Amino acid sequence: MGLSSNRVEDLSGHACNDSFELPISNNEPLEVHRVCLPPHKTTLQKLRQRLLEVFFPDDPLHKFKNQTCLTKFLLGLQFFFPVFEWGPQYNLKLLRADIISGFTIASLAIPQGISYAKLANLPPIVGLYSSFVPPLIYSVLGSSRHLAVGPVSIASLVMGTMLSEVVSYTEEPLLYLQLAFTATLFAGLFQASLGFFRLGFIIDFLSKATLVGFMAGAAVIVSMQQLKGLLGMIHFTSKMQIIPVLSSVFQHKDEWSWQTIVMGVCFLAFLLTTRQISTRNPKFFWLSAASPLASVILSTLIVALLKSKAHGIQTIGHLSKGLNPPSMNMLYLSGPYLPLAIKTGIVSGILALTEGIAVGRTFAALKNYQVDGNKEMMAIGLMNMAGCCSSCYVTTGSFSRSAVNYNAGAQTVVSNIIMATAVLITLLFLMPLFYYTPIVILATIIITAVIGLIDFQAAFRLWKVDKLDFMACICSFFGVLFISVPLGLAIAVGVSVFKILLHVTRPNTGVLGNIPGTQVYQNLHRYRTAVRIPSFLILAVEAPIYFANSTYLQERVLRWIREEEERIVANKETEIKCVIIDMTAVSSIDSSGIDTICELRRTLDKRSLKLVLANPGGNVMEKLHESDALESFGLNGIYLTVSEAVADISSFWKKEPELPI
């Protein structure tokens, strides 16, 4: 039963079907299987397979296999331009549904576009520009049928915060606008690059816990910033932290306008009520969708009719008519503020990408179709790159508009084209109607939209399920509130990375016992019915063994042995003869891990303890073989399962002759 000849398959690639039988105590034969090595592969083959697993886990080119050149060309068009995939099957029935949903989300997109531009400290007209060109680009490149594209609160907040900390949008409006367009360019470049090079896993570092805390903190900050419009104030702090904002509010109490406050409170109550009705009864989704536009129209009429008595209510004023003017000549590509534009673009781009892909996948799951994350990154990135050249700032898929789009019965991305058409009509003919629109209405629309970002139930679930995730959530929340938006996000990402490192460097280990009447071995602390096997200590390692955790694992195994020996002495049980490490969950091992295994084996040999490995994976076996570590284990050192190891070693011990006294 030598390890090298009997139970470990060579690298020839032949199937391991050989087995042999050993008697056990109940005279039933025990089948002990060989532990196979994986088929031989060259270094180049291994590298190719690894790169494919990292960058192409979904095998996006599988449709192209065994196809003619013409078919491959058509599939290529559909791959890069999804419009060619659904376009040929488009019909009037689908168009009817898309027209209804398109005009429905336009009623929400127009007031939100103006409001979110104000949130980013940009001219209101830029918000409408950003609701026209990007949806058209996405309708050609995007793969989600229900994603409604346009400005969003989080990206607007981050851009406004990061830029206004360095450049004043009131004192240098042209420079501020140039930096906003430039940040949009770099956001698009970053997003498209992630998709093209298939590096979407980078955004996974923004965990759900991080985003829950970040969005809640951002929602509070955004709402506090809207106090300027809600109270009718003129002077207001440019800082975003909660303490400076509250200080500014109470330092300028003499600027509060009672007319503005009354109008703001009334319309805020109206918007929140319609939102609540739509949330409780999805059939009335159109209430929350139409209420922002209804509020804009009604408040504009009130101010226009009472303009002689409403001097205290600030209005938007003149908005120029016409299509998006080109803005390539406004890109700030050299100068001292270029690093600021790059940093702002990357941060806002990551957040926009995270929200857009998450929203797209959410509604795709509801309708049972798939959204290609990397293609979405490229679509959103190219959309923003085109947008920065046509007076648009960072856009992505909005959850609120996408939810309305879904509930309104959208069937394809044509709903985005319909929405863009409605915005086009507004830009060409309806802009003068916004002259008397009160700024307080924009504030109430923003507050209503961002309140939905505060998810108490999600935070409570994090507390119940994972305390470290909850800590990341809280760090993100308070970091945004009391430090700054980008630093709060950085702190939260840092906590998430620390959690990953903690799991890698301090993996779970445990003592296993046998479930009576079975050959199953499970953790003794989880299964109270599991029993220890005399003379054996069976340990499970639940992580890859790397340089980062190899020392810890060696110390932890030795501690498990010491604690077990102390327990045996206290209970006067049979002493340990063999330590079995169940390596089922050890997916890989590096040179440091191999050295640790060998050092542990030598240490146990000196203590007359046998070390056995059970069920090592193919990657682990290959590396143990190539490092010649397998030979050092000698006879009966590697087994396919824990039960086979226990039975075989117990049988071997029984065959050993007793030494004469």
Side-chain angles (χ1 to χ4, degrees):
M1 265 181 47
L3 188 64
S4 59
S5 60
N6 289 340
R7 298 216 344 271
V8 178
E9 180 68 39
D10 62 9
L11 290 175
S12 63
H14 296 297
C16 291
N17 295 322
D18 299 277
S19 60
F20 56 93
E21 297 180 350
L22 286 174
I24 56 176
S25 56
N26 58 4
N27 295 322
E28 293 180 1
L30 170 70
E31 193 175 33
V32 179
H33 300 83
R34 287 185 177 183
V35 181
C36 300
L37 287 169
H40 175 70
K41 290 182 181 178
T42 64
T43 302
L44 190 61
Q45 288 174 326
K46 293 177 185 176
L47 178 62
R48 181 178 180 275
Q49 182 181 2
R50 187 59 182 161
L51 290 176
L52 288 175
E53 287 297 323
V54 171
F55 296 107
F56 301 96
D58 54 344
D59 190 15
L61 303 180
H62 70 280
K63 293 181 180 179
F64 293 81
K65 296 176 182 177
N66 304 320
Q67 300 291 341
T68 63
C69 292
L70 179 60
T71 304
K72 287 181 179 178
F73 175 74
L74 294 175
L75 289 173
L77 279 179
Q78 294 176 0
F79 183 80
F80 291 106
F81 303 98
V83 65
F84 289 105
E85 185 174 353
W86 55 263
Q89 288 82 37
Y90 200 72
N91 54 48
L92 288 175
K93 182 180 179 182
L94 297 176
L95 178 62
R96 191 183 306 113
D98 287 336
I99 288 175
I100 295 172
S101 58
F103 280 113
T104 304
I105 57 174
S107 68
L108 182 61
I110 292 170
Q112 278 192 350
I114 296 173
S115 304
Y116 290 157
K118 199 72 178 171
L119 182 59
N121 301 317
L122 293 168
I125 191 70
V126 174
L128 289 180
Y129 291 156
S130 303
S131 301
F132 172 53
V133 172
L136 295 177
I137 303 295
Y138 183 83
S139 64
V140 176
L141 301 174
S143 58
S144 172
R145 303 172 196 165
H146 300 94
L147 198 68
V149 172
V152 294
S153 57
I154 294 298
S156 302
L157 169 69
V158 170
M159 177 173 284
T161 302
M162 296 183 70
L163 292 181
S164 60
E165 285 178 350
V166 181
V167 178
S168 172
Y169 60 91
T170 54
E171 297 175 5
E172 299 178 280
L174 181 59
L175 175 61
Y176 188 92
L177 193 59
Q178 289 176 323
L179 292 176
F181 293 152
T182 308
T184 302
L185 170 64
F186 285 105
L189 281 171
F190 181 73
Q191 292 165 335
S193 299
L194 287 181
F196 182 78
F197 294 108
R198 305 188 70 82
L199 298 173
F201 58 84
I202 290 177
I203 66 172
D204 291 337
F205 283 98
L206 284 177
S207 65
K208 172 71 173 179
T210 300
L211 289 175
V212 167
F214 174 78
M215 290 193 292
V220 175
I221 288 294
V222 170
S223 300
M224 298 298 292
Q225 282 288 318
Q226 301 318 304
L227 289 176
K228 177 184 179 182
L230 202 60
L231 300 175
M233 298 173 62
I234 300 173
H235 299 92
F236 202 75
T237 181
S238 59
K239 297 181 179 179
M240 288 288 174
Q241 296 85 350
I242 188 169
I243 294 176
V245 169
L246 290 176
S247 299
S248 179
V249 167
F250 290 104
Q251 283 175 2
H252 300 93
K253 287 191 294 184
D254 55 311
E255 296 182 2
W256 293 9
S257 167
W258 69 267
Q259 299 103 320
T260 303
I261 295 173
V262 170
M263 176 174 281
V265 170
C266 290
F267 278 101
L268 183 60
F270 168 69
L271 290 169
L272 291 176
T273 302
T274 56
R275 178 188 178 88
Q276 189 68 15
I277 292 172
S278 298
T279 302
R280 291 188 175 183
N281 194 339
K283 292 181 180 179
F284 294 105
F285 71 91
W286 54 269
L287 276 177
S288 62
S291 57
L293 185 59
S295 299
V296 168
I297 295 172
L298 186 58
S299 63
T300 302
L301 288 173
I302 292 173
V303 173
L305 294 174
L306 302 177
K307 56 186 176 182
S308 59
K309 299 180 182 179
H311 296 296
I313 300 178
Q314 303 173 43
T315 60
I316 292 177
H318 175 71
L319 294 177
S320 57
K321 294 193 296 183
L323 294 177
N324 301 34
S327 55
M328 283 189 66
N329 60 331
M330 295 186 68
L331 295 178
Y332 187 94
L333 299 177
S334 64
Y337 297 109
L338 182 59
L340 172 65
I342 295 174
K343 182 174 68 172
T344 303
I346 290 176
V347 174
S348 58
I350 289 175
L351 290 171
L353 201 59
T354 303
E355 180 175 355
I357 292 177
V359 172
R361 285 176 173 168
T362 298
F363 291 105
L366 292 175
K367 283 293 185 179
N368 196 29
Y369 67 92
Q370 286 188 330
V371 169
D372 187 327
N374 289 291
K375 285 165 67 175
E376 284 294 285
M377 291 178 198
M378 291 183 65
I380 294 173
L382 293 172
M383 175 180 77
N384 281 315
M385 290 168 65
C388 77
C389 300
S390 54
S391 301
C392 304
Y393 76 107
V394 175
T395 54
T396 187
S398 163
F399 185 82
S400 58
R401 287 193 293 275
S402 299
V404 170
N405 197 29
Y406 175 83
N407 288 324
Q411 298 298 315
T412 68
V413 288
V414 171
S415 60
N416 276 286
I417 299 176
I418 304 300
M419 178 191 72
T421 304
V423 174
L424 172 63
I425 294 170
T426 304
L427 286 170
L428 291 177
F429 305 109
L430 305 180
M431 296 313 295
L433 300 180
F434 291 99
Y435 184 89
Y436 287 108
T437 300
I439 292 176
V440 64
I441 286 300
L442 305 183
T444 58
I445 291 172
I446 291 173
I447 291 173
T448 306
V450 299
I451 280 178
L453 299 177
I454 303 176
D455 194 341
F456 292 104
Q457 291 183 347
F460 181 68
R461 283 195 300 270
L462 290 174
W463 170 257
K464 287 180 63 178
V465 174
D466 193 319
K467 301 299 188 290
L468 273 177
D469 271 352
F470 182 76
M471 183 185 296
C473 175
I474 292 298
C475 287
S476 180
F477 178 75
F478 286 110
V480 170
L481 279 186
F482 294 103
I483 304 177
S484 71
V485 172
L487 282 179
L489 185 61
I491 291 171
V493 171
V495 173
S496 297
V497 172
F498 171 76
K499 178 187 174 183
I500 295 172
L501 293 175
L502 189 63
H503 285 308
V504 170
T505 59
R506 296 294 183 268
N508 291 333
T509 59
V511 180
L512 304 185
N514 177 247
I515 305 295
T518 72
Q519 294 185 355
V520 176
Y521 288 78
Q522 288 291 344
N523 193 296
L524 288 169
H525 292 287
R526 282 183 59 202
Y527 293 86
R528 300 299 181 184
T529 57
V531 294
R532 288 179 168 86
I533 305 299
S535 302
F536 288 92
L537 174 61
I538 306 169
L539 302 175
V541 177
E542 299 178 358
I545 303 178
Y546 292 131
F547 66 93
N549 62 19
S550 57
T551 302
Y552 165 80
L553 285 173
Q554 182 177 4
E555 294 172 350
R556 193 66 186 90
V557 168
L558 293 174
R559 178 183 164 187
W560 279 119
I561 294 172
R562 188 188 72 245
E563 291 175 348
E564 184 69 7
E565 288 175 339
E566 292 173 353
R567 188 194 66 81
I568 286 172
V569 171
N571 295 324
K572 298 180 180 180
E573 296 179 2
T574 307
E575 65 179 9
I576 302 173
K577 295 181 182 179
C578 179
V579 177
I580 300 176
I581 297 181
D582 183 1
M583 301 187 71
T584 302
V586 181
S587 58
S588 60
I589 192 170
D590 67 358
S591 56
S592 298
I594 293 172
D595 291 341
T596 296
I597 293 291
C598 294
E599 177 63 28
L600 186 61
R601 184 193 59 77
R602 287 192 293 268
T603 301
L604 296 184
D605 278 348
K606 293 176 182 178
R607 299 170 59 174
S608 299
L609 293 175
K610 181 178 182 61
L611 178 64
V612 171
L613 305 181
N615 195 26
N619 180 275
V620 175
M621 281 294 295
E622 185 177 6
K623 291 187 177 180
L624 289 174
H625 173 79
E626 291 175 350
S627 64
D628 297 327
L630 284 180
E631 297 297 331
S632 65
F633 277 84
L635 298 175
N636 309 87
I638 308 284
Y639 286 86
L640 187 61
T641 65
V642 172
S643 59
E644 289 184 9
V646 171
D648 191 29
I649 294 171
S650 298
S651 174
F652 179 76
W653 287 341
K654 290 180 180 179
K655 290 180 179 180
E656 286 184 334
E658 295 184 3
L659 295 175
I661 301 177

